[in-house]
Amino acid sequence: MFDIRVIRESGDEIQSRLGDRGKEIDWKLLLQLDTERRDFVTRVEKKRHRRKIVLSEIGKLKHQGKPDNTELLQEVEKLANEIKADEALIKPTEDRLNDLLLRIPNIPHTTVPSGKDESYNEECRRWGTPPHLAFSPLPHVELGESLDILDFKRAARMSGSRFTIYKGAGARLERALINYMLDLHTQNHGYLEIIPPYLVNRAGMTGTGQLPKFESDLFYIERDDFFLIPTAEVSVTNIHREEILDSSDLPLRYVAGTPCFRREAGSYGKDTRGLIRQHQFNKVELVSFTNPEKSYDELDRLLVNVETVLQHLGLHYRVVTLCSGDMGFSAAKTYDVEVWMPVQGVFREISSCSNFETFQARRAQIKFRGSDGKTDFVHTLNGSGVAIGRTVVAILETFQQEDGSVLIPKALQPYMGGMDKIEKR
RNA sequence: GGAGAGGUGCGAGAGCGGACGAAUCGGGCGGUCUUGAAAACCGCAGUCCUUCACGGGACCGUGGGUUCGAAUCCCACCCUCUCCGCCA
């Protein structure tokens, strides 16, 4: 969330740096509400000050055993009433201002390419080569059904579209990937493993930026006012909500493998078949809290940690810098890692690594105390490390054999009980 | 779900109608001492809002109420802990 003072002082600069991202914002209204609020505040504070003085006078007289001064008592009563009335006036203005501030997206970092959609994204690098399959590869849906490791039809019967039942070696593969990634990130990359809540309250969702703007993307449990997490980013980032961290404890690095729940509102007809876009999917997520001056180094590190996963699995991928128009609401800079999907012959997002700078920290009130004793907002970052369902797709499609079996990458075999191939039972 | 206890600053923890923005300890920052460090000692220091500034104001889980006056009393709600019930 933005500091209204910054907008007050350099609103024009922010507007121009936001570019298209800020075009829905009513900047004039924002400043007007700000002025209004400050006028209210100043007025009320003057009255409160006067009230304090009168009150201490009354206290003094009481102590000296003197009779009540009705004039003073009357003044205090009058002030109390006025203050109450003024406060009632401030509240709606404050709420409106706050709501507007919460709807302003983050400012893109200066190194972010500007552009309105994904066609303006910039490819940074590619790793590996596409597999050369001497036969025409089957899509993961057919492959999964013929191997009897994925069942979309029965899942739809109980839960509707965008749900899947994993069976046998399919379930094992999913679980193996989660365990493999968690082990890699905890043992080799220095992240602390977390199992967070999957249900989060409104304040938590507001902290990371899902609310108030994207409520329709979330599954919501009305009875208890809970939301299902769309990513572990939400619960893991909120671990330190309303805390002042010790600078010497930074960076804090966490990893969590959790299910994620997304309503996918507005994506009807998009990726309807298969594992690509599900209402429920597993993801291993990396989250970092850093000192402000270290956060872009941390973003690079995060990206390397993510790439390591794909390299060990032998999956062809590329890294893309998202342009301003393709970035998420809360991000200042985002790299997407896209894995090669042989059947469609395209790269598909399998990880998204972002630096949020102070955007989430402001919303969630996450600060640190520096060596000078002063407090400031931390920078938060996160990246998928990586999305499990899409990794399953990439593995099935990349390592399939002409006979319909699928080879298991070496790195994964220990997690599959030594299995090196998935075959028809 | 029932009964009880509690939620105070970076952390621990006192305060239980006015002089309390809050004792004390720990941690932090600055200094003295030391070749350096530790220890010891001295000093500084909550967070936020508002003001060009001086200053002013708010904040002791949240929201109401009582009172001239509330961290302190009352009510509701939220959260935590203990016991019971239920359950994995």
Side-chain angles (χ1 to χ4, degrees):
Chain A
M1 179 165 70
F2 280 92
D3 189 339
I4 184 64
R5 280 174 299 194
V6 177
I7 294 176
R8 199 187 299 150
E9 278 154 31
S10 44
D12 290 348
E13 194 202 327
I14 289 174
Q15 260 186 77
S16 78
R17 284 182 65 192
L18 275 169
D20 282 353
R21 302 189 109 206
K23 62 180 189 294
E24 316 169 348
I25 310 297
D26 190 339
W27 299 94
K28 252 179 86 182
L29 178 61
L30 216 51
L31 291 174
Q32 185 196 317
L33 289 170
D34 174 43
T35 315
E36 222 170 274
R37 181 186 149 266
R38 277 150 65 215
D39 287 348
F40 278 136
V41 167
T42 319
R43 196 167 42 163
V44 176
E45 285 184 354
K46 273 188 189 135
K47 288 178 186 166
R48 279 206 273 243
H49 179 50
R50 175 66 191 153
R51 177 173 175 269
K52 270 193 151 178
I53 291 169
V54 177
L55 236 37
S56 73
E57 284 298 317
I58 294 171
K60 237 182 258 168
L61 292 177
K62 274 258 190 259
H63 264 263
Q64 292 165 3
K66 293 186 179 163
D68 289 346
N69 181 329
T70 47
E71 215 170 283
L72 290 180
L73 289 180
Q74 273 170 13
E75 183 177 1
V76 135
E77 194 188 342
K78 181 168 164 264
L79 283 169
N81 288 334
E82 284 180 19
I83 288 165
K84 221 173 178 182
D86 286 345
E87 278 172 342
L89 286 174
I90 297 177
K91 189 85 168 57
T93 307
E94 236 166 22
D95 289 349
R96 262 181 94 194
L97 180 62
N98 242 324
D99 185 70
L100 284 180
L101 287 172
L102 285 170
R103 287 167 193 275
I104 305 174
N106 203 354
I107 297 178
H109 189 253
T110 49
T111 57
V112 169
S114 69
K116 60 181 188 325
D117 58 42
E118 59 183 39
S119 62
Y120 294 84
N121 293 346
E122 284 174 6
E123 184 174 316
C124 309
R125 56 180 170 271
R126 289 186 184 207
W127 186 90
T129 51
H132 32 269
L133 301 170
F135 53 96
S136 95
L138 284 176
H140 75 276
V141 176
E142 276 75 35
L143 205 52
E145 283 174 342
S146 84
L147 288 168
D148 197 27
I149 58 171
L150 298 175
D151 188 337
F152 298 97
K153 291 192 184 74
R154 289 195 178 95
R157 215 187 284 154
M158 71 178 90
S159 303
S161 65
R162 298 202 193 284
F163 287 94
T164 306
I165 298 165
Y166 288 75
K167 299 164 77 173
R172 183 86 196 246
L173 178 61
E174 179 94 358
R175 182 159 59 88
L177 282 166
I178 296 169
N179 287 336
Y180 158 66
M181 291 181 204
L182 287 173
D183 284 352
L184 179 74
H185 293 310
T186 52
Q187 288 162 24
N188 298 11
H189 299 153
Y191 292 81
L192 184 69
E193 185 171 350
I194 300 286
I195 299 179
Y198 306 155
L199 295 174
V200 167
N201 61 24
R202 211 165 266 280
M205 284 292 170
T206 308
T208 35
Q210 278 71 24
L211 292 180
K213 226 186 145 185
F214 306 101
E215 183 156 355
S216 64
D217 295 340
L218 301 170
F219 283 108
Y220 174 55
I221 294 158
E222 189 174 6
R223 193 185 164 98
D224 300 288
D225 203 24
F226 275 136
F227 296 87
L228 272 88
I229 55 168
T231 157
E233 159 195 350
V234 175
S235 17
V236 178
T237 304
N238 274 288
I239 287 174
H240 293 299
R241 177 151 144 246
E242 286 163 47
E243 287 185 13
I244 299 177
L245 303 166
D246 197 323
S247 181
S248 62
D249 292 336
L250 300 176
L252 286 167
R253 301 189 175 109
Y254 298 117
V255 58
T258 73
C260 304
F261 304 91
R262 299 186 182 178
R263 288 191 66 231
E264 296 297 343
S267 62
Y268 307 113
K270 225 170 153 188
D271 309 311
T272 46
R273 267 167 63 80
L275 289 175
I276 293 294
R277 194 174 296 275
Q278 297 270 292
H279 285 311
Q280 174 193 320
F281 62 96
N282 289 303
K283 182 159 60 68
V284 168
E285 184 77 4
L286 306 171
V287 177
S288 288
F289 301 77
T290 75
N291 282 297
E293 67 276 12
K294 302 263 179 65
S295 67
Y296 280 93
D297 290 341
E298 185 71 10
L299 182 59
D300 291 340
R301 186 184 187 275
L302 197 63
L303 189 55
V304 168
N305 297 156
V306 168
E307 287 180 69
T308 303
V309 173
L310 298 179
Q311 290 175 11
H312 285 189
L313 294 175
L315 294 170
H316 177 45
Y317 68 85
R318 67 172 184 173
V319 178
V320 166
T321 307
L322 294 194
C323 74
S324 52
D326 203 26
M327 277 198 311
F329 177 76
S330 304
K333 182 166 186 173
T334 300
Y335 295 107
D336 270 8
V337 178
E338 301 179 339
V339 72
W340 180 253
M341 298 295 194
V343 175
Q344 292 173 293
V346 294
F347 286 103
R348 287 303 297 252
E349 177 189 337
I350 198 168
S351 172
S352 196
C353 301
S354 302
N355 186 353
F356 301 91
E357 298 187 4
T358 60
F359 190 82
Q360 294 179 326
R362 284 175 192 284
R363 293 176 158 242
Q365 290 295 309
I366 307 169
K367 302 184 159 188
F368 71 96
R369 194 177 299 282
S371 52
D372 57 357
K374 292 223 165 68
T375 62
D376 200 359
F377 292 107
V378 298
H379 281 195
T380 61
L381 304 93
N382 66 58
S384 355
V386 301
I388 304 295
R390 290 187 179 183
T391 309
V392 169
V393 175
I395 286 175
L396 293 181
E397 295 190 358
T398 302
F399 301 120
Q400 62 181 291
Q401 306 297 298
E402 194 157 13
D403 64 3
S405 65
V406 175
L407 298 180
I408 306 291
K410 266 235 149 41
L412 224 48
Q413 289 173 12
Y415 292 90
M416 295 288 288
M419 190 191 292
D420 59 1
K421 191 194 240 186
I422 300 178
E423 295 171 286
K424 260 183 219 176
R425 272 175 292 160

